[in-house]
Amino acid sequence: AIGDGAFALSHSYRLLFDAVPVLALAAFHATAPAMRPRPWLLALPVGVGITFAVFFLFLYSGMPGSGPALQTALDWPGLWCVGLAAAGLAHLAAASTGRSPAPSWTLALAGLAALVLGLRLTTLVDHLAFTAATPERTTSAIIAGAQAAAALGTGLALAVVAARRVRRTPTAPGSPTPADTGAAR
């Protein structure tokens, strides 16, 4: 799985990135309460359809303007960055209007932001290390850098909001407080 050749860093990180959802399934053990279907899950097939349409139309059809810069903007890590930024901004907007989502959503999006940032940065490092220096590479690197900055900014905003919300979350009766554990010094 991990090779010595070109793009080994990004290939290795993609394996880790793909393993995270499988590891997250451990939360759904036999004694966990059943999840009820959510209406927002209907967005999944729409998102998959849009992703395939973008890949087909722009990356593989040879349409004018489908050069390396557009390919970088619409590659898999780039789509993750755009999707994360959109989801994070929508979540932060909902939280600021008083429709307070559960702190677990904010924490999950902040954790996903860290993973997506790692994905974008590893692919950017490999791209810069193993492609020839051309004007298209520079444009692609700028686009990838902007995507990484969007993922970082969104992740930091989500982490700040998550930290505030977790501090305000009431503790369960009988659970230790920070003063009991010695953390409040």
Side-chain angles (χ1 to χ4, degrees), residues 74-105:
L74 299 176
D75 67 348
W76 192 240
L79 290 174
W80 268 104
C81 289
V82 170
L84 171 77
L89 292 175
H91 181 80
L92 292 171
S96 70
T97 61
R99 292 183 13 218
S100 181
S104 58
W105 279 98

Side-chain angles (χ1 to χ4, degrees), residues 22-98:
V22 175
L23 294 174
L25 290 175
F28 299 101
H29 48 86
T31 59
M35 296 290 296
R36 60 183 175 89
R38 308 288 174 133
W40 53 263
L41 282 175
L42 294 175
L44 180 64
V46 173
V48 169
I50 290 171
T51 301
F52 281 121
V54 166
F55 276 129
F56 177 73
L57 289 175
F58 292 108
L59 299 180
Y60 299 114
S61 68
M63 289 179 64
S66 63
L70 183 63
Q71 289 177 359
T72 300
L74 299 176
D75 67 348
W76 192 240
L79 290 174
W80 268 104
C81 289
V82 170
L84 171 77
L89 292 175
H91 181 80
L92 292 171
S96 70
T97 61

Side-chain angles (χ1 to χ4, degrees), residues 63-167:
M63 289 179 64
S66 63
L70 183 63
Q71 289 177 359
T72 300
L74 299 176
D75 67 348
W76 192 240
L79 290 174
W80 268 104
C81 289
V82 170
L84 171 77
L89 292 175
H91 181 80
L92 292 171
S96 70
T97 61
R99 292 183 13 218
S100 181
S104 58
W105 279 98
T106 312
L107 288 169
L109 283 171
L112 183 61
L115 291 170
V116 169
L117 178 62
L119 181 65
R120 177 78 277 176
L121 290 178
T122 55
T123 56
L124 177 60
V125 167
D126 274 353
H127 175 68
L128 292 175
F130 297 109
T131 58
T134 63
E136 290 84 15
R137 182 181 97 162
T138 304
T139 304
S140 296
I142 291 170
I143 292 169
Q147 291 168 340
L152 177 64
T154 304
L156 288 175
L158 288 164
V160 167
V161 170
R164 287 182 186 159
R165 295 189 70 207
V166 166
R167 270 188 253 131

Side-chain angles (χ1 to χ4, degrees), residues 1-3 5-18 77 118-127 130:
I2 300 174
F7 303 104
L9 177 65
S10 58
H11 288 300
S12 302
Y13 192 86
R14 282 182 191 206
L15 286 174
L16 170 71
F17 190 79
D18 291 340
L119 181 65
R120 177 78 277 176
L121 290 178
T122 55
T123 56
L124 177 60
V125 167
D126 274 353
H127 175 68
F130 297 109

